[in-house]
Amino acid sequence: MPLQPSARDFELPDSLPLLAVRDTVVFPHMILPLFIGRNQSLAAVQQALEGDRMIMLASQKEPDLERPSPDDIYDTGCVGMIMRSLKLPDGRTKVLVQGLGKARIRQYLATRPFFSVSVEDLGEAEIPQLSLETEALMRTVRDQLNELQGMGRTFPNEVVLAAENMEDPGGLADVVASNLGLKVGVAQQILEEDDPVHRLHRVKELLAKETELVSVQHRIQSQAREEMSRSQREYFLREQLRAIQSELGETDAKAEDLLELRAQIDKAKLPAEVGKEAHKQLRRLETMPVEAAEYSMLRTYLEWLAELPWQNSTRDSIDLSAARTILDEDHYDLEKVKERILEFLAVCKLKKKLKGPVLCFVGPPGVGKTSLGKSIARALGRKFVRVSLGGLRDEAEIRGHRRTYVGALPGRIIQSMKQAGSNNPVFMLDELDKVGGADFRGDPSAALLELLDPEQNHAFSDHYINLPFDLSKVLFIATANVLDSVPSALKDRLEVIRLAGYSTEQKLAIARRYLIPRQLEANGLQEKDLSLSRNAVLRIISEYTAEAGLRNLERELGSVCRKVALRRAENDLRSVRVTAGTVAGYLGPPRYLDEDKLGQHEVGVATGLAWTEVGGQILHIEASIMPGSGQLHLTGQLGNVMKESAQAALSYARAHAGQWGIDADFHKNLDIHIHVPAGAIPKDGPSAGVTMVTALVSILSQRPVNREVAMTGEMTLRGQVLPVGGIKEKLLAAVRAGMQTVVLPCRNEKDLVDVPSGLRRRLNLLFADRVDDVLTAALEEKR
């Protein structure tokens, strides 16, 4: 159906003054008051009043602009009639305007002193006959308007009346849109829509959105009122319950709880600063309803303050003879370590208040580091607490979490102090070298710096407690397998005491004195039920364990005890004696035969000694030659230092080829392959330098290496043998492997002070100053 322009009851003049309107869009049929304050706008209104009172009303694109240009004003607006005007005392003018019809600005004729424009009439298109769809659309819009009004959205009565009586869709759209309080951009889009039916569709969509918004708003308000009503109801009911309990003589649970908490705080003998904070928080708790989320958090915090041993100390009973007896009872040998501990206890006895050093026991697993801490606590008469730092990666595990976090607790240090019940326990920090590094959760090792510094830990600050706690009376003892991964700043606070592995004789004595009785008791046996011969224990040590410590040995002894316990549980009450010949019947075939020691003197295979975090180990280094062009191949997952040792060994062999009967041009027509078995295990360090040169000279000269000789030492290009570490551990490994001769650097002779005399007597120790000395001792005559 074609649309025809509707007739106008006004005529547009050639030019009209323009009033730029802010924050609103004027629609036809719309009557609204405007406050005019800008000089340009006042001049436009004055011009209209002097003429036919008609004025062009167009909206600004940016309402904050005080001096808009033509580009800042929408082209489509509404021609309006000024119905009334009133000058206000503040200099502004209030005008009442009515929108007559849409128009588009065609040209700006003048911009001073006001905007003068020529406009194009955008007369509303007439619809000769409304379709059923259009009538249904108009009825829907009226129903939506009534529904919105029924939900509490108020509209002027004349607007509702006009909407009911409006016969054309464009007029209905304009009336409704002008009273919805739309944003300027949205209202301008509706005004610029030429098709009245399309414009009415847009208004219907906006009405539906507004209806949904009002519905959600009502639902939120209703929920809030319900929550308030429920809270008020609970409050009144609780007050009534409290009054009833008071009349019946029953005590208030909250008051009783707070009285008990106050008694705990008063009994705790808190320091002045801590007591002041505790009573302050207690007063807050008294005024807080039990239902408050913060109530339980604050109550837990006060309980922690009351239960920590702020001033509770145990008295030290330092008897050096008794301490020596305790150390001897608990640990076999370790004389140097025991002597250092007794020195520490002696200083504690002479100087009542001691900011003592932080002892750090370093050694392979299973040598008794943790149990030494327990023995020190026994000797001092102090409580013993232990915290394992292995795998710790979150700084909050040390310092705790802030109380603002849900479920916050103090760190492990404060928790352990509460567990100890005294402020001067022996505090064991186990596995110090296993602490994780810095990441987004902080640096746990850095949190330990304050803890282990005697100059700082008198005011240790936990994030949860947030009050200084005195840790200066605590005797801290750390344990580690190696110190390589411990940060230097933390290492500087430690007094390191090294514990080496045990020899076979020491293991035998410890097994008979400590391990076997303990396993008998653990498995419900008595001494008459099971006995192990000396040779049986020696066989278990040599063929079923290969370690520096004692853990696997105790496991194997426990396995024997369990098999005997099974027999007794099945009513076989005969006593059992385990001999060397019957060990395999209990533990199966040997796991570690004497395979570390070579079966015969071999060419190109030398036996070295290595030190790892689990003790000393035997290391076979193999060399092989093949036709080639002088290339050197290294395998066995070697580190950079070990690769450099191989290069140095090759250079030494080339430089001294004639001395050892080697072809001087071997590097031109031979490829050399050096391999260190157990290729899946990374290896590094300079200690294998002399072993590599021995294997290399052996394969090149075809002189076999004595299988009874083991060696260690770093070599230089000039042929000197430099000292290395871990001498005791390496000698223990040599004894375990059945070696007879060990070649050591001359400068390591001083380290034999720490090696037990029994261990030294079992080996023929040779000291080498130069590589030639090592080769002379290790190489046999050419076959």
Side-chain angles (χ1 to χ4, degrees):
M1 183 180 297
L3 302 178
Q4 302 294 332
S6 61
R8 290 284 191 178
D9 54 1
F10 65 90
E11 292 185 1
L12 288 176
D14 294 335
S15 65
L16 283 174
L18 171 66
L19 177 62
V21 183
R22 293 194 285 194
D23 295 323
T24 189
V25 174
V26 181
F27 285 87
H29 314 294
M30 183 178 180
I31 299 176
L32 79 161
L34 298 174
F35 292 89
I36 314 300
R38 293 182 289 192
N39 292 333
Q40 196 175 32
S41 300
L42 289 171
V45 170
Q46 186 62 36
Q47 177 67 22
L49 291 174
E50 292 176 357
D52 53 8
R53 305 175 76 89
M54 293 178 65
I55 191 168
M56 180 65 181
L57 303 169
S59 300
Q60 289 183 202
K61 296 177 182 178
E62 297 292 338
D64 297 333
L65 292 176
E66 286 295 326
R67 296 179 178 275
S69 65
D71 293 335
D72 299 323
I73 301 172
Y74 287 109
D75 293 336
T76 302
C78 184
V79 176
M81 175 70 70
I82 299 177
M83 303 173 63
R84 295 178 189 172
S85 66
L86 176 66
K87 289 188 176 182
L88 301 177
D90 59 1
R92 295 185 302 165
T93 297
K94 178 182 179 181
V95 296
L96 187 67
V97 298
Q98 178 181 9
L100 300 179
K102 285 196 300 183
R104 182 180 293 114
I105 299 174
R106 193 161 47 196
Q107 183 181 2
Y108 281 84
L109 304 175
T111 57
R112 292 286 183 272
F114 56 85
F115 288 125
S116 177
V117 296
S118 63
V119 298
E120 173 188 359
D121 184 13
L122 297 178
E124 185 77 311
E126 280 189 1
I127 302 177
Q129 184 176 359
L130 297 176
S131 65
L132 290 176
E133 183 180 353
T134 302
E135 288 185 0
L137 178 61
M138 295 176 67
R139 182 175 298 180
T140 300
V141 170
R142 294 190 185 102
D143 292 342
Q144 287 177 321
L145 190 66
N146 292 331
E147 181 183 1
L148 197 57
Q149 190 175 26
M151 294 173 67
R153 177 70 184 271
T154 57
F155 295 100
N157 291 331
E158 55 270 19
V159 172
V160 178
L161 184 62
E164 290 292 337
N165 296 325
M166 193 68 68
E167 295 296 336
D168 65 288
L172 178 60
D174 292 341
V175 169
V176 176
S178 62
N179 288 275
L180 279 180
L182 304 174
K183 294 181 179 179
V184 172
V186 178
Q188 185 68 30
Q189 290 177 0
I190 294 177
L191 180 67
E192 293 176 357
E193 178 60 57
D194 293 331
D195 189 333
V197 177
H198 287 173
R199 190 157 72 247
L200 190 59
H201 269 292
R202 290 290 305 277
V203 171
K204 180 182 76 69
E205 294 171 359
L206 293 172
L207 275 172
K209 181 179 179 181
E210 186 69 17
T211 302
E212 185 176 356
L213 286 174
V214 173
S215 175
V216 172
Q217 181 181 0
H218 284 177
R219 186 165 65 250
I220 293 172
Q221 291 175 349
S222 176
Q223 290 175 352
R225 283 195 296 269
E226 288 178 2
E227 290 294 331
M228 291 177 60
S229 301
R230 186 183 300 112
S231 299
Q232 291 175 349
R233 182 169 176 271
E234 289 179 358
Y235 173 77
F236 287 125
L237 288 175
R238 292 188 184 280
E239 289 297 322
Q240 290 175 357
L241 179 61
R242 190 175 289 110
I244 294 171
Q245 288 176 337
S246 177
E247 289 294 329
L248 293 174
E250 298 179 358
T251 57
D252 184 5
K254 176 185 175 182
E256 185 178 358
D257 189 30
L258 292 176
L259 284 174
E260 182 181 350
L261 191 57
R262 182 180 292 277
Q264 289 181 5
I265 292 174
D266 294 338
K267 184 181 178 181
K269 299 179 182 179
L270 305 177
E273 181 182 356
V274 179
K276 181 179 178 182
E277 178 67 18
H279 285 92
K280 174 185 174 183
Q281 298 299 334
L282 185 60
R283 287 192 295 271
R284 282 188 60 207
L285 195 67
E286 290 172 344
T287 61
M288 193 179 296
V290 179
E291 300 79 20
E294 194 180 359
Y295 183 89
S296 60
M297 181 273 292
L298 193 55
R299 187 184 184 284
T300 303
Y301 173 68
L302 290 173
E303 286 179 346
W304 271 100
L305 291 185
E307 293 173 2
L308 284 176
W310 297 93
Q311 300 187 33
N312 297 338
S313 301
T314 55
R315 291 188 61 184
D316 291 341
S317 55
I318 302 178
D319 185 340
L320 294 182
S321 61
R324 189 184 299 274
T325 302
I326 290 173
L327 291 173
D328 290 337
E329 286 178 357
D330 293 348
H331 298 87
Y332 179 80
D333 198 26
L334 302 178
E335 297 302 328
K336 184 178 178 181
V337 178
K338 293 177 183 177
E339 192 67 25
R340 178 61 188 91
I341 293 171
L342 290 172
E343 291 171 2
F344 173 78
L345 297 179
V347 175
C348 289
K349 183 175 182 179
L350 296 176
K351 189 176 181 180
K352 301 300 181 184
K353 187 175 182 182
L354 175 66
K355 289 185 177 179
V358 179
L359 303 179
C360 181
F361 299 138
V362 179
V367 295
K369 299 185 294 296
T370 304
S371 59
L372 272 173
K374 296 180 180 178
S375 299
I376 293 173
R378 277 184 60 199
L380 282 171
R382 294 189 180 188
K383 300 291 184 64
F384 177 80
V385 290
R386 172 184 168 273
V387 170
S388 178
L389 302 178
L392 192 68
R393 294 188 175 275
D394 192 349
E395 181 191 354
E397 290 286 333
I398 301 294
R399 289 190 175 274
H401 295 83
R402 303 284 181 187
R403 296 203 309 272
T404 51
Y405 294 105
V406 176
L409 282 175
R412 292 194 186 183
I413 306 303
I414 294 298
Q415 290 185 35
S416 299
M417 295 303 295
K418 176 186 173 184
Q419 173 190 345
S422 67
N423 63 1
N424 63 339
V426 174
F427 202 120
M428 175 71 73
L429 297 170
D430 227 351
E431 308 293 351
L432 184 63
D433 55 329
K434 308 300 190 300
V435 177
D439 59 11
F440 67 95
R441 292 164 291 193
D443 188 354
S445 60
L448 294 171
L449 294 178
E450 178 189 3
L451 179 71
L452 299 180
D453 192 340
E455 300 299 327
Q456 299 181 40
N457 61 14
H458 66 278
F460 177 75
S461 177
D462 184 273
H463 289 156
Y464 181 84
I465 301 298
N466 203 26
L467 291 167
F469 190 89
D470 186 6
L471 294 174
S472 61
K473 299 178 182 179
V474 178
L475 174 56
F476 287 104
I477 299 175
T479 71
N481 296 130
V482 291
L483 289 178
D484 298 343
S485 60
V486 179
S488 57
L490 187 57
K491 200 184 304 181
D492 184 59
R493 289 162 166 78
L494 307 174
E495 179 175 341
V496 177
I497 300 176
R498 297 190 178 273
L499 286 77
Y502 294 107
S503 65
T504 301
E505 289 76 10
Q506 290 173 325
K507 288 183 178 180
L508 175 63
I510 294 171
R512 297 175 72 86
R513 186 180 299 185
Y514 301 102
L515 303 184
I516 294 176
R518 188 159 63 198
Q519 285 302 315
L520 288 174
E521 181 182 356
N523 291 281
L525 300 175
Q526 298 179 5
E527 290 186 13
K528 64 180 182 179
D529 300 328
L530 171 64
S531 64
L532 289 94
S533 69
R534 183 178 187 276
N535 290 333
V537 178
L538 284 174
R539 188 177 180 191
I540 294 174
I541 293 171
S542 60
E543 297 183 5
Y544 291 87
T545 66
E547 57 175 346
L550 300 163
R551 286 203 179 100
N552 285 328
L553 175 58
E554 186 168 8
R555 290 191 189 101
E556 299 301 331
L557 293 173
S559 180
V560 174
C561 292
R562 286 193 298 274
K563 289 186 175 2
V564 175
L566 176 60
R567 291 183 181 182
R568 294 195 65 80
E570 293 175 344
N571 295 322
D572 185 353
L573 304 181
R574 293 173 295 176
S575 62
V576 177
R577 178 171 176 79
V578 180
T579 63
T582 59
V583 166
Y586 292 91
L587 299 178
R591 299 185 185 89
Y592 304 98
L593 293 175
D594 195 10
E595 59 188 14
D596 283 340
K597 185 175 177 180
L598 298 174
Q600 60 183 357
H601 304 326
E602 292 189 22
V603 175
V605 183
T607 304
L609 297 173
W611 180 84
T612 68
E613 65 179 23
V614 295
Q617 288 184 353
I618 288 292
L619 197 67
H620 294 303
I621 295 182
E622 305 171 348
S624 178
I625 56 175
M626 62 213 78
S629 57
Q631 295 184 4
L632 176 64
H633 302 282
L634 303 173
T635 54
Q637 193 152 193
L638 310 182
N640 290 331
V641 177
M642 215 163 181
K643 292 177 181 178
E644 292 169 0
S645 297
Q647 294 285 352
L650 178 60
S651 297
Y652 178 86
R654 289 180 59 185
H656 299 80
Q659 179 181 349
W660 298 102
I662 302 172
D663 183 7
D665 295 328
F666 75 88
H667 61 282
K668 296 181 180 179
N669 50 25
L670 291 177
D671 283 349
I672 300 172
H673 186 172
I674 296 179
H675 175 65
V676 183
I681 302 173
K683 311 168 193 71
D684 202 5
S687 299
V690 296
T691 315
M692 284 187 170
V693 75
T694 302
L696 192 57
V697 171
S698 170
I699 193 66
L700 291 172
S701 66
Q702 291 298 302
R703 295 178 61 177
V705 181
N706 190 331
R707 71 188 187 101
E708 306 289 349
V709 176
M711 62 199 74
T712 184
E714 180 181 359
M715 65 163 289
T716 68
L717 285 176
R718 294 173 297 164
Q720 288 185 321
V721 180
L722 301 182
V724 293
I727 294 300
K728 182 179 179 182
E729 289 83 356
K730 292 176 179 178
L731 294 180
L732 287 170
V735 170
R736 285 198 298 269
M739 308 304 291
Q740 294 181 0
T741 302
V742 175
V743 181
L744 299 174
C746 283
R747 300 183 197 176
N748 280 123
E749 190 172 1
K750 58 181 175 53
D751 297 321
L752 296 182
V753 176
D754 299 331
V755 179
S757 58
L759 180 61
R760 294 200 300 267
R761 286 194 297 268
R762 294 187 60 179
L763 294 168
N764 177 25
L765 300 179
L766 300 179
F767 296 96
D769 186 50
R770 301 191 58 81
V771 174
D772 295 347
D773 303 332
V774 179
L775 295 176
T776 301
L779 295 180
E780 297 288 311
E781 291 300 324
K782 191 173 181 179
R783 296 171 183 171

